[in-house]
Amino acid sequence: MSSIQGKNYIGHQLSATGAATFRSYVPATGEFLPETFVCATPEEVAHTMELAKAAAPAYAAVAPAERAAFLEAICEEITLLGDELLERAHLETGLPMPRLQGERARTLNQLTQFANLIREGSWLQASIDTAQPTRVPPKPDLRKIQVPLGPVVVFGSSNFPFAYSVAGVDTGPALAAGNPVVVKAHPAHPGVSDLTARAIVKAAQRTHMPEGTFSMLFDSGYEVGSALVKHPATKAVGFTGSLKGGMALYRLGQEREEPIPVFAEMGSVNPVVILPETLAQRSQELAQTLAGSVTLGAGQFCTNPGLVFVIDSPEVTAFSQAYASEIEAIGSATMLTEGICKNFYRLREESLSQEGAGLLATSTLRATAENQSQATILTTTGAAFISHPQLREEVFGPFSILVVCESREALITALSQLGGQLTVSLFADQAEAAGYPELLTLLAQKAGRFIMNGVPTGVEVCASMHHGGPFPATTDARFTSVGRDAIYRFVRPQSYQDWPDALLPEALQNSNPLRILRLVNNEWSDSAL
């Protein structure tokens, strides 16, 4: 028997006062699961945000070690869900079990990293400039630290039911920094969201976090999400999804009486450039590598390599044939939702209808299954790519375009047309890459992560990862949604001038009880003053 609740998690309580409901869809079969999920009402939205507002000062005052214990308790509660969580995710997304097992492990790793980070304390960026009373004019005592923003609204994403959802890359760092979190669950996997929210609430109760530290609301449309962003208690928003959805939320955040940051990760086509000598030497290998990356997870990654650029040469024909053969040998796969599947085929046809675009290869489609993707590779010239903006748009799914540029100059011109990206990739050895200095400069300006001889799929969770990029990849290229620096989206700097030592935050006190690394009078120190 399923243990799904189907109600809204408002603080530590369950609520279901609304009349509007929806059910969970199984993309592999086209059927609906029996549980009913109740959409939050405007009154529930208001109550949730007021509860988060009331919890904000108390939760911000919770010691870092206690917040770390809360994050670790979340990991424990998610682990205790066992196979029920994985099986529900498989039903609701169609994603294979090995992928879901890996994603769950990644989610737990993310939370554990943030627990370790806030215990260690360097993220606070504590800075102390002691007073110089004899200086003319006298210098005051100034101390600076990072402090939480307040209630953060998080939108779950469709393609990562764990890592970018209820307990994912927005919720983890926001809670770590001391902010209450309100999640708007994604309707594509409400059962997974329900189970994960229950785990977080149990962890909050176990570790005695203030009620209102975490809440989660359901909705099958846009009303609840819009209301959450517009509520005056909301201080920041985290979103991963489409350009249209991200920009809609961004505008709502800017149109408020008090504008707030909306950290939206949106579209990216993640261009791959293969230089001529490398193409000639590694044609078959590159075809296999790219085909695997394009079709990984039915192409439903924000890092899917949607464009591959080469300079025209005799070797391009052999590469194209090998690339086509690899794609044709790959079977279809279930897409996340019926809407995503329909949109994939619509955008695919729009791209194929552009003058100068031709079909290079498609994969075999299983006619007996629902919502199946058909991996598709188009080919076009650099001139046609420049002339038709539609060819530069993201097609979410197993889709990519091989752009054959007439010359080195045409390659630079074509790449110049692209907006900001999460990633760019260059396949070349050191000597060949060194001969294209203008290309290296251009590519580095286009994306947050520059990859050498590797595909963009696969995002390592570590301190040096920057998962963000210039617009339209994200709304703010300075921030990452993956890695320890993701915490800086949800804090702001606060200076204290001439405060008594005992009233300062612990990390700024002279006795330095947290024993963290601090910048004291322009020198790093981990000892007491």
Side-chain angles (χ1 to χ4, degrees):
M1 179 180 294
S2 173
S3 62
I4 302 296
Q5 302 282 349
K7 298 180 181 180
N8 296 290
Y9 290 78
I10 301 178
H12 296 167
Q13 307 300 318
L14 286 170
S15 177
T17 62
T21 64
F22 67 100
R23 289 193 295 161
S24 180
Y25 181 72
V26 181
T29 64
E31 300 171 335
F32 288 89
L33 295 173
E35 297 89 358
T36 297
F37 298 87
V38 182
C39 300
T41 65
E43 293 75 19
E44 286 175 323
V45 170
H47 178 53
T48 300
M49 291 312 306
E50 290 301 324
L51 197 62
K53 178 181 177 181
Y59 185 57
V62 172
E66 294 178 37
R67 291 206 302 270
F70 172 36
L71 296 180
E72 290 167 342
I74 294 174
C75 292
E76 293 167 2
E77 293 293 341
I78 289 175
T79 301
L80 287 173
L81 291 170
D83 290 343
E84 181 183 7
L85 183 65
L86 294 171
E87 290 166 359
R88 185 69 183 211
H90 177 63
L91 278 175
E92 291 186 328
T93 66
L95 295 171
M97 276 293 185
R99 150 73 193 272
L100 292 168
Q101 290 167 339
E103 188 186 330
R104 182 180 61 177
R106 169 183 170 171
T107 303
L108 300 179
N109 177 43
Q110 290 170 172
L111 291 169
T112 301
Q113 286 194 25
F114 282 112
N116 294 336
L117 176 65
I118 57 178
R119 279 199 181 97
E120 174 260 335
S122 63
W123 70 279
L124 291 167
Q125 297 182 333
S127 175
I128 297 173
D129 282 284
T130 55
Q132 296 178 16
T134 60
R135 196 192 73 175
V136 180
K139 177 187 174 184
D141 185 279
L142 280 165
R143 305 179 183 219
K144 186 170 69 172
I145 200 172
Q146 299 292 331
V147 298
L149 296 177
V152 174
V153 169
V154 170
F155 288 79
S157 71
S158 62
N159 58 335
F160 282 89
F162 305 141
Y164 284 75
S165 194
V166 177
V169 296
D170 297 322
T171 298
L175 289 175
N179 304 283
V181 168
V182 176
V183 173
K184 191 274 182 185
H186 199 287
H189 42 75
V192 174
S193 299
D194 183 287
L195 291 168
T196 309
R198 187 190 317 169
I200 297 176
V201 170
K202 284 184 177 180
Q205 293 172 325
R206 276 178 49 195
T207 55
H208 310 291
M209 294 298 112
E211 185 169 9
T213 294
F214 173 83
S215 297
M216 188 190 76
L217 303 179
F218 287 111
D219 191 22
S220 59
Y222 306 108
E223 290 79 8
V224 168
S226 297
L228 288 171
V229 176
K230 291 190 287 187
H231 196 281
T234 301
K235 297 302 179 183
V237 175
F239 170 84
T240 299
S242 68
L243 176 62
K244 180 181 178 182
M247 289 308 299
L249 296 178
Y250 179 81
R251 293 186 184 100
L252 287 177
Q254 299 309 301
E255 291 166 358
R256 292 167 31 126
E257 183 176 351
E258 176 198 353
I260 57 171
V262 175
F263 298 105
E265 179 193 319
M266 302 178 290
S268 185
V269 291
N270 307 294
V272 174
V273 178
I274 309 174
L275 294 184
E277 292 178 16
T278 299
L279 185 69
Q281 296 167 2
R282 302 170 56 191
S283 180
Q284 183 64 49
E285 172 200 341
L286 290 171
Q288 184 177 19
T289 298
L290 286 167
S293 183
V294 168
T295 58
L296 183 67
Q300 298 168 121
F301 287 97
C302 55
T303 53
N304 182 61
L307 294 170
V308 178
F309 291 86
V310 297
I311 298 173
D312 198 9
S313 68
E315 288 75 25
V316 169
T317 299
F319 170 73
S320 299
Q321 292 173 347
Y323 196 13
S325 296
E326 293 289 342
I327 292 294
E328 290 165 355
I330 295 173
S332 58
T334 302
M335 300 199 79
L336 291 159
T337 70
E338 183 180 21
I340 287 174
C341 189
K342 289 180 178 178
N343 201 47
F344 164 72
Y345 283 108
R346 179 181 64 82
L347 293 175
R348 184 186 77 159
E349 294 310 309
E350 287 183 9
S351 296
L352 187 55
S353 68
Q354 302 301 302
E355 184 179 359
L359 180 64
L360 180 62
T362 59
S363 65
T364 303
L365 185 64
R366 285 190 294 160
T368 58
E370 295 288 328
N371 303 305
Q372 294 294 297
S373 64
Q374 187 174 28
T376 304
I377 304 297
L378 305 188
T379 184
T380 191
T381 64
F385 180 82
I386 293 168
S387 300
H388 299 289
Q390 177 64 38
L391 299 177
R392 303 194 284 273
E393 298 299 317
E394 180 184 24
V395 178
F396 189 67
F399 176 91
S400 191
I401 303 176
L402 176 63
V403 184
V404 183
C405 298
E406 296 79 4
S407 63
R408 174 175 176 154
E409 293 71 26
L411 172 65
I412 295 293
T413 303
L415 289 167
S416 297
Q417 308 303 307
L418 292 173
Q421 308 292 326
L422 293 173
T423 75
V424 294
S425 301
L426 178 67
F427 282 90
D429 64 21
Q430 179 177 332
E432 188 177 18
Y436 289 76
E438 73 282 20
L439 174 64
L440 302 186
T441 300
L442 174 62
L443 292 178
Q445 292 171 343
K446 290 290 182 183
R449 179 161 58 111
F450 196 170
I451 303 164
M452 189 74 160
N453 290 316
V455 290
T457 41
V459 181
E460 183 66 31
V461 180
C462 66
S464 298
M465 172 56 68
H466 187 82
H467 190 64
F471 183 84
T474 68
T475 48
D476 196 328
R478 296 171 297 174
F479 296 95
T480 178
S481 62
V482 176
R484 60 189 291 168
D485 286 355
I487 200 169
Y488 293 117
R489 294 172 296 167
F490 306 121
V491 294
R492 65 174 179 85
Q494 174 74 61
S495 284
Y496 293 84
Q497 182 169 328
D498 291 331
W499 271 65
D501 189 68
L503 297 181
L504 285 165
E506 285 188 316
L508 295 181
Q509 292 176 12
N510 291 337
S511 58
N512 190 20
L514 295 183
R515 306 301 300 175
I516 67 169
L517 193 65
R518 306 178 300 176
L519 189 63
V520 181
N521 295 330
N522 297 318
E523 293 185 4
W524 289 106
S525 171
D526 64 354
S527 59
L529 294 179

